[in-house]
Amino acid sequence: MKLTDTIGSVLTSKEENRVLSVTPEQSVYEAVEQMAEHGIGALLVISEDRLVGILSERDYARKVILKGHSSKETLVRDIMTSPVVFVSPQHTVDECMGIMTKHHFRHLPVVQEDAVVRVVSIGDLVKWIISGQAQTIQELEGYITGAYPG
């Protein structure tokens, strides 16, 4: 569990195996309702089996609430972030952290052969890194106490 591990490895360890999405024609209200129902902060926007955007709680707050628009009358296409920055399963944890930091977002679609496989969140990456650090600490403690099997 290192920074050089691939996102494919991270995704294999995730329990959730679904990709939640909305269409550009749906209302923002429906999208936010789905986010609340599933306890997530972003949805992919997919049209004709193609990733065309991503909609986050941040998009909603900044482009609907602050502008005084109605979420029931505003369409997802009007506020989604597009084009979408995405990665492949071969990207490393470190590369993804860099991309997320540079672009100031918390969700990154993972695409393979033009199809969305999953979404990785900053929380997933932090969890991965912390697990790796815990493992390293345990190994070092074992080495120091002489219990290291090596």
Side-chain angles (χ1 to χ4, degrees), residues 25 40 42 47 81 97 104 106 123:
E25 295 76 28
I40 57 174
S47 179
T81 298
M97 296 273 298
H104 305 287
R106 299 179 209 135

Side-chain angles (χ1 to χ4, degrees), residues 12-87:
T12 303
S13 73
K14 277 183 73 166
E15 292 175 22
E16 261 323 295
N17 192 18
R18 61 185 171 178
V19 175
L20 297 173
S21 65
V22 289
T23 66
E25 295 76 28
Q26 285 183 263
S27 74
V28 171
Y29 183 86
E30 291 173 297
V32 172
E33 198 172 46
Q34 191 176 144
M35 283 189 248
E37 179 185 330
H38 295 284
I40 57 174
L43 286 169
L44 299 182
V45 184
I46 296 180
S47 179
E48 298 175 9
D49 295 325
R50 269 191 39 244
L51 177 64
V52 296
I54 189 165
L55 179 70
S56 68
E57 292 170 329
R58 184 178 289 170
D59 291 321
Y60 173 67
R62 293 179 179 176
K63 299 173 187 173
V64 176
I65 299 289
L66 288 178
K67 297 196 179 205
H69 297 295
S70 163
S71 61
K72 289 185 178 182
E73 295 169 14
T74 304
L75 299 180
V76 167
R77 86 173 81 186
D78 297 331
I79 70 161
M80 69 184 188
T81 298
S82 183
V84 183
V85 175
F86 60 87
V87 295

